[in-house]
Amino acid sequence: MLLLALDTATPAVTVALHDGTRTLAAADEVDARRHGELLLPAVDRVLAEAGAALGDVTGIVVGVGPGPYTGLRVGLMTATTLGAARGIPVHGLCTLDGIAHAAGQAGLEGPFVVATDARRKEVYWARYADARTRLGDPAVDRPADIAELVAGVPAVGMGARLYADTFTGVREDLPEHVSAAALAALAAERLAAGAGDGGEAGGFLPPLPLYLRRPDARVPANYKVVTPR
């Protein structure tokens, strides 16, 4: 097994190579405006550091979000293109699950919440029983609307840090963004347990974007009509 994992659903551009037991190489860079410029060079660096070639990879792991429209699509399109070119499977995972898994690797026990910045003064968030068990679907909300649900609960991620008045149990010593190394480790566990693609319930998601809301960019509602004289 040789998994190439990547995620661009948060400001982090993150790539890792995992052999099913450990992370062989990883690259992480935070820049919310340069996902498209940074991702493929990071893939090249990770493969080179591990002494591997793309042809050695047996599967792709990609974070499907939730995340902002443009950045999220960079990772997903790259993953699906690489998978199609090599004829290998592409396994989708919820980005919040990757952050939760990293928190568990750092010693956090449940229950807890994970929250990332959704912009528009909102957060993407989910509740977890433990680092491997999400309770329900991810959601997007204004922090004030979920204050009673998250107050005092250990909280991980940039969304929790940005709204510490709401996420009063925020753990600033734990990851603020997703890491591809954690995604790869989670995927390796699920593959070893016989998980399949196409759904959740301990398996994988299709490599399709999990937006939870409409994109920021929209087609103008009214056009000025110009008729020839």
Side-chain angles (χ1 to χ4, degrees):
M1 179 189 299
L2 194 62
L3 300 174
L4 178 65
L6 52 95
D7 193 297
T8 58
T10 73
V13 178
T14 177
V15 180
L17 197 66
H18 197 283
D19 67 359
T21 301
R22 64 187 181 92
T23 299
L24 303 178
D28 302 277
E29 188 165 355
V30 178
D31 191 329
R33 298 180 180 274
R34 299 177 62 214
H35 292 95
E37 297 175 47
L38 297 174
L39 183 57
L40 285 177
V43 170
D44 289 340
R45 288 198 308 274
V46 165
L47 290 171
E49 182 180 336
L54 188 58
D56 300 324
V57 174
T58 60
I60 309 289
V61 180
V62 62
V64 303
Y69 183 86
T70 303
L72 179 55
R73 287 180 64 87
V74 170
L76 284 163
M77 289 302 296
T78 300
T80 54
T81 299
L82 292 176
R86 300 302 310 168
I88 55 178
V90 180
H91 309 293
L93 285 174
C94 174
T95 296
L96 300 180
D97 291 357
I99 298 175
H101 193 72
Q105 290 176 320
L108 180 63
E109 298 179 356
F112 60 88
V113 298
V114 174
T116 59
D117 183 17
R119 304 174 185 172
R120 300 186 192 173
K121 298 182 179 180
E122 294 178 330
V123 293
Y124 298 118
W125 72 288
R127 289 182 284 186
Y128 290 81
D130 54 53
R132 295 174 176 81
T133 310
R134 176 161 35 87
L135 302 173
D137 295 328
V140 57
D141 288 290
R142 289 183 176 273
D145 294 339
I146 58 173
E148 293 185 3
L149 298 175
V150 303
V153 179
V156 186
M158 178 54 75
R161 296 189 187 199
L162 287 172
Y163 301 99
D165 289 344
T166 297
F167 294 89
T168 56
V170 62
R171 289 283 302 270
E172 295 192 2
D173 58 315
L174 295 176
E176 59 182 351
H177 301 303
V178 68
S179 77
L183 275 181
L186 178 59
E189 282 189 10
R190 293 188 177 184
L191 286 169
D197 293 317
E200 275 228 87
F204 296 99
L205 295 166
L208 300 172
L210 184 62
Y211 291 132
L212 302 188
R213 70 180 186 202
R214 297 178 64 83
D216 293 334
R218 299 185 183 182
V219 176
N222 297 306
Y223 290 95
K224 181 179 180 180
V225 178
V226 179
T227 56
R229 294 185 178 181

